[in-house]
Amino acid sequence: MVKLTKIYTRGGDKGKTSLGDGTRVSKTSSRVEAYGDVDETNAVIGLVRLHVTGQTDEMLARIQNDLFDLGADLCTPEQEQPKYPPLRIVKAQVDRLEEEIDEMNSELAPLNSFILPGGSVASSYLHLARTVCRRAERRMISLSDSEIVNPHAIAYANRLSDFLFVLGRFLNDKGAEDVLWVPGANRATD
């Protein structure tokens, strides 16, 4: 259990922070950037939750908890025989997202155009969360170019952005209120 009795430590005043294994790194390291973007995704989902109830809120609450798991996973570099086994994202968490995506998507009409972020307030925030999640995923992939990253963690971020997109459509009256992209709609004509 985490117990925080003091919020500031002054340990980061010179631009360094501690990873889950105690290693000190720059606050601009790829690893810190990756879990920072995961944290930002979580914050935007918190905004979505102000505008939803019931099953939608329950799904998003689970995801917020998963995102803390993902942050814990990312902040602890892989090492052989660690003293304490680190928390890692597992396939079951990815599978649950897929099941929920499939369930929601089964009630949506197929898309005939790309959609623009908008419609309801909750859907708009979901699109914001989706774009931040995609950034987190890109950072994780960039990190994986030089360090080991749990493949289930990357899959989770990838699937979560899909989940957020589908939920955004679902909350837009099952796609009826989606704002469709009209290619070239505002180009000047000769």
Side-chain angles (χ1 to χ4, degrees):
M1 179 58 87
V2 175
K3 183 177 181 181
L4 300 173
T5 57
K6 191 170 184 178
I7 301 304
Y8 65 90
T9 63
R10 297 186 178 100
D13 290 353
K14 294 182 181 174
K16 300 277 187 179
T17 191
S18 293
L19 298 178
D21 65 357
T23 305
R24 300 285 292 169
V25 298
S26 169
K27 289 184 177 186
T28 61
S29 79
S30 296
R31 186 170 293 280
V32 175
E33 292 281 355
Y35 67 75
D37 287 343
V38 168
D39 191 33
E40 187 177 348
T41 302
N42 205 340
V44 178
I45 290 172
L47 290 172
V48 176
R49 291 188 64 203
L50 296 173
H51 302 280
V52 297
T53 58
Q55 183 181 3
T56 300
D57 187 52
E58 291 170 13
M59 288 189 299
L60 292 173
R62 284 193 301 272
I63 287 168
Q64 283 193 296
N65 198 81
D66 283 352
L67 288 173
F68 260 76
D69 290 355
L70 180 55
D73 187 326
L74 290 170
C75 89
T76 308
E78 292 278 345
Q79 59 178 246
E80 289 186 30
Q81 301 179 347
K83 183 176 180 180
Y84 303 103
L87 182 60
R88 299 285 182 217
I89 292 291
V90 296
K91 186 177 182 306
Q93 289 167 294
V94 177
D95 292 344
R96 191 196 73 241
L97 286 176
E98 289 179 359
E99 291 166 10
E100 291 172 345
I101 290 168
D102 291 344
E103 185 178 322
M104 288 184 292
N105 207 40
S106 71
E107 297 186 43
L108 300 175
L111 281 172
N112 296 320
S113 173
F114 288 106
I115 63 170
L116 303 176
S120 68
V121 172
S123 293
S124 298
Y125 280 130
L126 283 162
H127 283 290
L128 177 59
R130 173 185 56 78
T131 62
V132 176
C133 184
R134 284 286 187 208
R135 181 177 358 114
E137 179 188 8
R138 290 190 303 271
R139 298 251 199 222
M140 292 165 63
I141 291 167
S142 178
L143 176 62
S144 75
D145 289 342
S146 59
E147 298 183 46
I148 297 171
V149 176
N150 174 6
H152 296 305
I154 294 172
Y156 186 89
N158 186 22
R159 216 66 79 248
L160 178 58
S161 60
D162 295 335
F163 174 96
L164 296 169
F165 176 80
V166 172
L167 180 58
R169 291 198 66 218
F170 192 84
L171 295 182
N172 269 345
D173 193 19
K174 297 185 180 175
E177 301 298 320
D178 283 340
V179 181
L180 300 179
W181 173 48
V182 180
N186 301 307
R187 295 188 326 184
T189 58
D190 293 326

